[in-house]
Every structure is written in structure tokens, then in C-alpha cells.
């Protein structure tokens, strides 16, 4: 019985070791970008207005928190056609329209450069957009198609059980770039055709991020390397969000006994993860971004 158990343990070990050998290299690459000065100025104005409300009327600030968080998160990606936020009966905050659908910004340029580079190397690219209420998916599809790429957008109307087949069909037809919300592919799908993944923006759900970021990092992946890029603007809510995700990831990997100081986890500012995890459980995780690029290095 002991000998049989020993043989089983050896078989399991060899199997796991063999699995590890077949997994490709995997790297998460945060990319910090600069907002145009006029957009950053308007963003700072909106944030300042909310801070003022917090100082003067906590009850109203709590009521408006969701709307402000949504606005502050998405405005850098779409600084036009933003919904106004009503403050009482006779006053509202209406962000300035400082761009158009046709104008390219730093994230759009970064995406184009990455797609050009990867396509030249014969690779396909998967782009995640977490905020589907803004026009990012349509904009990316247009600018990529204008450059001659074959692009498809996987939407929620495609049934979960049909999504992998849907993607495979378009890949066979010569698809270069797939655009989708990460929540639509977070479980059950192998997307091995796409060796570069780009988070155009990132949500707050750690499970969704971890699952979506590994759709191509599979045992049956034949490519040597998978790269995951996370784009965000410096000094705004997006930077705080990605820092929060980094902290949550570092805490999760600590609990799992598999702590990593690379990729997204490297952006966590936790020095003593045990105490920080305790703080997170009792007070919530808060973080300000000083210099994420330096922390990442």
C-alpha cells in the first residue's frame, strides 16, 4: 500500500512537472500614459468638486459617490459626451467636451503601436475593454480597421456556450484583433490564438482580471511567450484602480502561498502583507499613486 502510494505521488509530481514545462513564459506589463494637459485639468476640476462635496456634505457625497467614481474612471478614456451629475435642484456638474470620437489619444496610439508590432511578428491580439457604456470598442474597431486589420467584437449577445466556437470561426477567417469585455471570457475559454492581451482599461474585479489575463496561458499553448499589457493614465482614478488591483492581487497570492513580486503584483505598496491584509479586511484598501513606474521598476 505504501509503495503504491509512493508510485501515485511520483506520477502526480511528474505530471505537474510536465505541465509546467509546457506552459509558455508569461509577463504582465503595466503601461503608464500621460493625459493631455487640458483633459487632466478638467479631470482635476471634477475631482476637486467632489472633494469639496465630501467636506461640506457627507450624506450627499455618499449618495453621489457611484456617479463620480464612474465619471472619474471613464472621462480620461472618453473626454466627451459625459453625463452631467446633478447637485440638488439648481446645480449640476457637466464635464467639458474636450475631444471627439475621431481624435486619437495616448491609449489609442499605444494600442496601434502594439498591434502593429505584434502583427508584423505574425501574432494576434486580444483587447479587453471593461467599460462598455462608453464608445471604446467602436472606436478601437474603427481605427484598427482603417489600418487594414481584421477586427471582431465579441458581445454579450453571443451565448456563453457558443463563444469559443464564435471566436474560432473568426480566427479561421483571418481575424487579427479580438475586442471584448473581460467578463465575457473569464471562464471556460481557451484563446490560444491570441498571444498578446491588452487591457485598454481595467475593472475592479480581481477574479475577472486573473481569469481573463490567462485565457492564452494554457497547457496546450504552443507559443513560447504570452504578454499582458495594462494601460492606464497617470495621476487619475485609473492609476488608483490599478494600484488597488495590485494590492488585492498581492494579498490573494499571499493567502495562496504563491507570492509574486512581478507584473501587476509588483505595483502593490504592501511591505508587510499580513498587516496590510488585516487593514484591508477592517478598513478597506486605500492607496494614492506617487510614482507607479518607479515602484514597478
Amino acid at each position: 500500500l505504501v509503495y503504491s502510494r509512493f508510485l501515485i505521488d511520483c506520477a502526480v509530481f511528474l505530471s505537474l512537472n510536465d505541465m509546467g514545462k509546457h506552459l509558455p513564459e508569461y509577463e504582465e506589463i503595466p503601461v503608464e500614459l500621460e493625459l493631455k494637459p487640458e483633459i487632466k485639468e478638467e479631470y482635476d476640476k471634477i475631482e476637486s468638486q467632489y472633494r469639496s462635496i465630501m467636506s461640506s456634505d457627507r450624506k450627499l457625497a455618499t449618495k453621489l459617490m457611484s456617479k463620480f467614481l464612474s465619471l472619474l474612471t471613464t472621462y480620461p478614456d472618453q473626454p466627451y459626451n459625459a453625463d452631467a451629475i446633478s447637485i440638488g435642484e439648481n446645480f449640476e456638474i457637466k464635464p467639458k467636451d474636450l475631444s471627439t470620437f475621431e481624435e486619437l489619444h495616448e491609449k489609442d496610439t499605444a494600442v496601434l503601436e502594439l498591434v502593429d508590432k505584434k502583427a508584423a511578428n505574425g501574432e494576434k491580439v486580444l483587447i479587453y475593454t471593461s467599460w462598455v457604456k462608453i464608445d471604446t470598442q467602436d472606436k478601437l474597431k474603427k481605427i484598427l480597421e482603417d489600418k487594414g486589420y481584421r477586427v471582431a467584437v465579441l458581445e454579450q449577445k453571443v451565448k456563453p456556450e457558443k463563444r469559443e466556437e464564435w471566436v474560432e470561426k473568426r480566427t479561421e477567417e483571418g481575424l487579427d484583433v479580438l475586442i471584448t469585455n473581460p467578463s465575457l471570457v473569464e471562464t471556460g475559454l481557451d484563446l490560444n490564438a491570441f498571444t498578446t492581451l491588452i487591457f485598454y482599461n481595467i475593472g475592479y474585479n480581481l477574479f475577472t482580471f486573473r481569469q481573463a489575463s490567462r485565457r492564452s496561458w494554457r497547457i496546450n499553448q504552443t507559443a513560447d511567450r504570452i504578454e499582458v499589457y495594462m494601460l492606464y493614465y497617470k495621476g487619475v482614478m485609473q492609476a488608483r484602480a490599478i494600484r488597488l488591483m495590485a494590492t488585492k492581487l498581492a494579498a490573494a497570492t499571499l493567502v495562496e502561498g504563491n507570492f509574486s513580486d512581478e507584473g501587476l503584483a509588483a505595483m502593490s505598496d504592501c511591505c508587510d502583507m499580513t498587516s496590510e491584509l488585516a487593514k484591508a479586511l477592517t478598513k478597506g484598501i486605500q492607496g494614492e499613486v506617487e510614482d507607479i513606474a518607479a515602484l514597478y521598476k
Side-chain angles (χ1 to χ4, degrees):
L1 181 62
V2 173
Y3 181 67
S4 298
R5 178 68 184 183
F6 171 75
L7 291 177
I8 293 172
D9 288 344
C10 287
V12 171
F13 173 79
L14 291 172
S15 176
L16 290 172
N17 191 46
D18 188 57
M19 288 166 59
K21 286 193 298 184
H22 286 83
L23 281 171
E25 293 182 15
Y26 174 88
E27 184 177 6
E28 295 171 356
I29 307 170
V31 180
E32 182 180 79
L33 301 167
E34 294 279 354
L35 274 175
K36 292 184 177 180
E38 63 272 20
I39 298 174
K40 181 63 164 62
E41 181 180 351
E42 181 66 8
Y43 172 91
D44 289 341
K45 179 182 176 183
I46 298 168
E47 187 170 293
S48 177
Q49 288 172 318
Y50 183 61
R51 291 183 185 278
S52 178
I53 295 172
M54 288 181 67
S55 299
S56 61
D57 191 336
R58 283 279 181 174
K59 185 176 181 180
L60 178 60
T62 300
K63 181 180 178 180
L64 298 174
M65 180 182 292
S66 177
K67 291 182 178 179
F68 269 99
L69 285 177
S70 176
L71 175 59
L72 291 170
T73 300
T74 58
Y75 185 74
D77 287 346
Q78 185 178 305
Y80 55 90
N81 296 339
D83 293 334
I85 298 178
S86 298
I87 312 295
E89 296 181 358
N90 302 314
F91 181 71
E92 68 176 16
I93 293 175
K94 175 59 179 175
K96 293 180 182 178
D97 288 342
L98 296 176
S99 184
T100 64
F101 178 83
E102 290 75 21
E103 184 179 4
L104 299 188
H105 295 278
E106 286 292 315
K107 277 192 183 181
D108 307 315
T109 303
V111 167
L112 284 173
E113 290 176 352
L114 281 169
V115 172
D116 285 343
K117 177 182 176 181
K118 299 301 182 178
N121 197 37
E123 299 182 51
K124 300 182 186 298
V125 179
L126 172 57
I127 303 176
Y128 289 129
T129 58
S130 296
W131 314 115
V132 295
K133 290 186 178 180
I134 56 178
D135 60 19
T136 302
Q137 291 188 343
D138 293 334
K139 184 177 185 179
L140 288 173
K141 187 173 187 294
K142 182 180 185 304
I143 63 178
L144 288 167
E145 286 182 337
D146 287 348
K147 291 206 65 177
Y149 293 110
R150 299 192 66 172
V151 185
V153 178
L154 174 61
E155 299 177 331
Q156 190 171 10
K157 63 184 179 182
V158 180
K159 295 180 180 180
E161 63 272 16
K162 297 289 186 180
R163 288 172 188 168
E164 191 162 343
E165 179 184 346
W166 185 95
V167 174
E168 287 178 355
K169 180 179 179 180
R170 279 146 189 82
T171 301
E172 291 170 358
E173 294 171 352
L175 181 69
D176 299 305
V177 181
L178 175 65
I179 302 171
T180 190
N181 186 307
S183 65
L184 299 185
V185 298
E186 65 184 1
T187 56
L189 273 70
D190 285 346
L191 300 176
N192 288 338
F194 305 91
T195 51
T196 296
L197 287 65
I198 302 173
F199 282 85
Y200 186 94
N201 41 46
I202 189 169
Y204 303 115
N205 189 310
L206 180 61
F207 175 82
T208 297
F209 169 79
R210 296 184 74 180
Q211 293 297 313
S213 64
R214 288 160 172 77
R215 288 304 90 201
S216 302
W217 194 56
R218 322 296 285 175
I219 296 170
N220 56 348
Q221 174 62 262
T222 58
D224 295 328
R225 179 177 174 83
I226 303 299
E227 293 182 349
V228 180
Y229 293 84
M230 296 157 286
L231 311 184
Y232 66 96
Y233 286 117
K234 178 182 179 180
V236 298
M237 189 62 68
Q238 292 182 8
R240 297 189 185 101
I242 201 169
R243 183 64 163 273
L244 170 64
M245 291 295 287
T247 304
K248 291 168 69 175
L249 178 61
T253 55
L254 175 72
V255 171
E256 295 164 1
N258 187 32
F259 182 74
S260 171
D261 60 355
E262 299 178 349
L264 180 61
M267 299 175 67
S268 170
D269 59 358
C270 292
C271 297
D272 179 354
M273 285 306 306
T274 303
S275 62
E276 289 296 331
L277 181 58
K279 289 180 184 177
L281 292 173
T282 57
K283 298 182 180 180
I285 300 171
Q286 297 178 343
E288 293 293 333
V289 175
E290 295 294 337
D291 187 348
I292 292 183
L295 286 169
Y296 175 66
K297 290 177 184 177

